[in-house]
């Protein structure tokens, strides 16, 4: 959780529909009994404190090392540092910028991951958006369909877009790939509105609209 961001200034702590952005995903995580501890890797402990968040029995705040700060540092390097410092059977990684990710979806993804591990068919999981539409290259040539034989988009082969909402893995799977996606990952499809990931001002506006639809009780008083 960075203090600064490039395209939406201060977004991690900016109020979204009545509460700071970071509280949305934190509240969802803390609602899940299976999650023993939420670890926040940050260079903004003081800003969290200003917003009423300090360490507790289920929240650990880790100060991000200076060499891991900055906009170009790979998230996998930050995760490697967390894994080395916080031993666990299973790691679940998400971002402050995924405010609509619900506890129900996290529980469903955990169940899918645990079933895959038990069956020996999976070592990790990540969330995706299912897309069935017509894609073109820059030269207007078709990518995934035949322009001379148009079929309904719902009959096209589905493609799956990594949506950066949720990753589940172990220290072993991370060690094999040096990444949060292992050698045998499962895909967990999310609903499009829930999968909002805030990178741009347009994303923020979309998140505000979705929040107004999904959580009217959080609407500011008028």
């Amino acid at each position: 959780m960075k203090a600064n961001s490039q395209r939406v200034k201060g977004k991690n702590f900016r109020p979204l529909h009545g509460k700071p952005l970071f509280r949305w995903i934190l509240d969802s995580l803390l609602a899940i009994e299976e999650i023993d501890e939420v670890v926040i890797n940050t260079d903004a402990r003081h800003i969290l404190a200003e917003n009423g968040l300090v360490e507790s029995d289920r929240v650990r705040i880790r100060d991000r090392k200076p060499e891991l700060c900055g906009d170009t540092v790979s998230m996998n390097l930050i995760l490697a540092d967390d894994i080395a410092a916080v031993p666990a059977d299973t790691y679940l990684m998400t971002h402050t910028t995924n405010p609509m990710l619900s506890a129900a979806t996290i529980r469903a993804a955990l169940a899918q991951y645990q079933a895959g591990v038990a069956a020996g068919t999976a070592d990790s999981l990540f969330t995706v958006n299912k897309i069935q539409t017509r894609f073109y290259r820059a030269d207007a040539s078709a990518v995934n369909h035949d322009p001379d034989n148009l079929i309904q988009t719902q009959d096209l082969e589905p493609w799956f877009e990594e949506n950066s909402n949720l990753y589940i893995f172990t220290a072993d799977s991370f060690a094999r790939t040096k990444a949060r996606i292992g050698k045998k990952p499962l895909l967990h499809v999310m609903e499009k509105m829930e999968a909002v990931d805030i990178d741009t001002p347009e994303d923020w506006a979309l998140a505000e609209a979705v929040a107004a639809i999904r959580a009217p009780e959080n609407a500011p008083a008028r």
Side-chain angles (χ1 to χ4, degrees):
M1 191 185 301
K2 297 186 298 183
N4 299 311
S5 56
Q6 290 179 294
R7 288 173 286 186
V8 182
K9 299 300 181 184
K11 66 182 176 184
N12 290 331
F13 312 96
R14 179 177 166 182
L16 175 77
H17 206 68
K19 63 180 178 180
L21 181 64
F22 76 86
R23 287 267 18 154
W24 286 82
I25 188 62
L26 180 59
D27 289 348
S28 292
L29 293 170
L30 292 176
I32 301 170
E33 297 78 7
E34 296 91 336
I35 295 177
D36 296 320
E37 184 178 43
V38 177
V39 179
I40 301 174
N41 189 306
T42 184
D43 62 353
R45 180 188 291 262
H46 62 293
I47 305 178
L48 289 172
E50 290 169 2
N51 283 272
L53 183 66
V54 295
E55 291 189 309
S56 66
D57 59 338
R58 290 188 68 202
V59 176
R60 183 191 307 200
I61 300 174
R62 296 197 67 232
D63 295 311
R64 188 166 298 181
K65 295 177 179 178
E67 62 269 26
L68 296 178
C69 292
D71 296 319
T72 60
V73 176
S74 168
M75 180 54 65
N76 286 322
L77 294 177
I78 296 170
L79 285 173
D81 183 65
D82 281 333
I83 291 170
V86 186
D89 295 330
T90 303
Y91 295 92
L92 185 156
M93 183 261 173
T94 186
H95 298 92
T96 307
T97 51
N98 307 134
M100 297 298 107
L101 179 59
S102 68
T105 293
I106 297 171
R107 288 192 184 96
L110 276 169
Q112 182 186 359
Y113 165 80
Q114 290 164 348
V117 170
T121 57
D123 66 354
S124 55
L125 176 147
F126 64 102
T127 52
V128 297
N129 299 330
K130 180 180 178 181
I131 300 175
Q132 287 176 284
T133 191
R134 300 184 183 96
F135 288 98
Y136 293 84
R137 300 179 183 87
D139 64 0
S141 60
V143 174
N144 66 329
H145 66 282
D146 180 0
D148 296 323
N149 181 29
L150 290 182
I151 62 174
Q152 297 181 100
T153 54
Q154 61 262 39
D155 294 328
L156 289 171
E157 177 187 358
W159 286 28
F160 297 93
E161 174 191 23
E162 180 182 351
N163 63 27
S164 297
N165 267 244
L166 183 66
Y167 301 84
I168 306 175
F169 52 92
T170 64
D172 287 343
S173 73
F174 188 91
R176 283 192 290 271
T177 61
K178 304 300 182 188
R180 52 199 174 183
I181 298 176
K183 293 287 189 181
K184 298 188 293 183
L186 294 171
L187 278 59
H188 187 83
V189 178
M190 287 180 60
E191 178 199 8
K192 185 181 295 186
M193 285 204 303
E194 187 181 358
V196 174
D197 183 46
I198 301 175
D199 284 326
T200 67
E202 292 79 9
D203 295 334
W204 185 280
L206 178 59
E208 282 276 12
V210 175
I213 294 169
R214 293 197 160 211
E217 70 275 9
N218 291 315
R222 295 184 182 277

